[in-house]
Amino acid sequence: MSIGNFDFDEPIDRRAVPALKTHPLVLGADGDHLFPAGVADMDFKAPPPVLDALSHRVAHGVFGYEAAPDGLLPALRDWLRSRHGWAVPAEQILQAPNVLNALSMAVNLFTREGDGIIVQPPVFFDFFDIIAENKRALVTHPLVLEDGRYRMDFEALAQLAAEPRTRMLLLCNPHNPVGRVWTRDELARLGEICRAHDVLVVADEIHADLVFPGHTYTPFAAVSDADARNSITCVSPAKTFNIPACSAAFTIIPDALRRTKFQAENSRLNVNKNNAFASWRWRRRTARAGRGSMRCLITSAAIAAAIGRWSASGSRTCRAWN
């Protein structure tokens, strides 16, 4: 299948590079005969604008230390506003190496050893590893499968949140792997319960752009000001454009005290440096977006903001550009 000048049927040999999904770390030493479906990335090339931008950056030839480009936060903010109706002040956004790093830092900073952290299985397995490796207590709130569709049991959630040692909930929005795009009403009910019991919501929203037509992704922090203040949101262009090997992530922290603490930890751990291969100088005409010609230094999130039209073809699945 081809869309525009992009061929979705082009075979790509993932074993030509040390791709994690085909690596012995995942498939085992004798796993060459196995079909590599255990890692959530796509076997398509990245979009042509991303490849063009990478080529342009490589052609520069110098990869010294770099500051974050001036176009980064404006581009990210524009993407969130134009695609999802979410207006995020620049001062609320911090950079992170990846979403898992941000989740782990949040667990370390805002809970103590032995504190309970709620997860909603079936859910991304690394949530469990983060909790265990940071010596926190796992609190499971299983999703309910009803008539082929998963839902939250809010009565059970309220009981778990009321436990004195429960201090945090790791929210997957949209949910990986069940594919639910949580509605605003569902998120509002979850937020109400967590606020009532002083449970901080840390939202992994890396799949935000991968939504079926007819469904709408709602950022948890956009539900209400009160929910925003009781949240940390982690976003990244990695899934949207299939670039997890060369992109960074961002944490959005509306509460100033939490944000200051998170920024200090970023500095202490020296994870606030810019990645040259997530920063490119490029030019692209975006007539569909009505912006004409743009030129700036940007990260992969900004490349996302500049691609003219990114059309949905699935909920938490692959997408097509044209």
Side-chain angles (χ1 to χ4, degrees):
M1 179 181 67
S2 295
I3 297 180
N5 63 348
F6 196 91
D7 182 7
F8 285 94
D9 294 324
E10 179 185 0
I12 307 294
D13 182 9
R14 298 297 302 277
R15 289 181 170 85
V17 297
L20 185 60
K21 71 192 308 178
T22 60
H23 198 277
L25 284 172
V26 172
L27 296 183
D30 58 348
D32 286 348
H33 64 289
L34 298 176
F35 180 76
V39 175
D41 63 16
M42 292 180 275
D43 293 325
F44 308 126
K45 287 183 177 179
V50 173
L51 299 180
D52 291 345
L54 276 169
S55 297
H56 191 93
R57 180 63 186 88
V58 169
H60 181 268
V62 178
F63 309 106
Y65 296 108
E66 295 185 5
D70 292 339
L72 169 58
L73 293 189
L76 174 62
R77 294 175 64 215
D78 182 67
W79 179 263
L80 295 173
R81 179 193 56 77
S82 62
R83 300 293 298 186
H84 306 303
W86 186 17
V88 180
E91 65 271 14
Q92 295 183 4
I93 305 172
L94 303 178
Q95 286 183 258
N98 55 64
V99 165
L100 289 177
N101 168 270
L103 294 174
S104 186
M105 286 179 63
V107 166
N108 248 310
L109 285 171
F110 303 114
T111 66
R112 299 177 179 178
E113 288 191 11
D115 281 352
I117 299 179
I118 299 173
V119 298
Q120 297 176 304
V123 72
F124 183 39
F125 64 88
D126 273 329
F127 282 17
F128 299 93
D129 293 342
I130 287 171
I131 292 169
E133 290 167 0
N134 285 287
K135 298 181 173 59
R136 272 53 173 178
L138 177 67
V139 180
T140 57
H141 172 236
L143 299 177
V144 178
L145 181 59
E146 191 173 81
D147 298 326
R149 181 180 175 85
Y150 282 93
R151 64 172 178 83
M152 298 185 199
D153 180 344
F154 292 111
E155 183 175 323
L157 177 60
Q159 292 175 355
L160 295 173
E163 292 292 327
R165 292 305 298 271
T166 302
R167 307 302 302 156
M168 181 178 287
L169 182 147
L170 296 183
L171 173 68
C172 203
N173 175 43
H175 193 93
N176 174 19
V178 308
R180 272 301 313 277
V181 181
W182 302 118
T183 66
R184 179 175 289 271
D185 287 346
E186 288 172 316
L187 294 173
R189 182 70 181 115
L190 179 145
E192 179 184 10
I193 291 169
C194 288
R195 284 187 280 109
H197 299 288
D198 197 23
V199 172
L200 177 64
V201 178
V202 179
D204 173 0
E205 302 194 352
I206 197 171
H207 294 96
D209 295 307
L210 308 183
V211 174
F212 275 125
H215 299 269
T216 301
Y217 153 70
T218 300
F220 175 76
V223 172
S224 71
D225 289 342
D227 288 315
R229 290 190 296 271
N230 190 48
S231 72
I232 295 173
T233 302
C234 306
V235 297
S236 171
K239 299 295 186 183
T240 305
F241 297 103
N242 199 34
I243 50 174
C246 61
S247 68
F250 306 89
T251 50
I252 299 170
I253 310 177
D255 180 81
L257 291 177
R258 290 195 187 99
R259 186 167 66 249
T260 298
K261 194 170 183 179
F262 208 99
Q263 180 64 72
E265 188 72 352
N266 269 347
S267 181
R268 186 182 75 83
L269 296 175
N270 279 285
V271 295
N272 54 355
K273 302 298 186 286
N274 192 62
N275 176 356
F277 284 93
S279 302
W280 305 295
R281 189 173 187 86
W282 67 290
R283 181 186 293 271
R284 177 167 175 81
R285 184 161 299 277
T286 55
R288 290 175 183 168
R291 297 175 190 165
S293 180
M294 302 177 62
R295 186 174 181 86
C296 60
L297 279 169
I298 54 176
T299 68
S300 48
I303 284 183
I307 291 176
R309 182 181 178 192
W310 186 263
S311 62
S313 67
S315 172
R316 263 224 347 94
T317 183
C318 304
R319 303 189 80 185
W321 51 93
N322 59 8

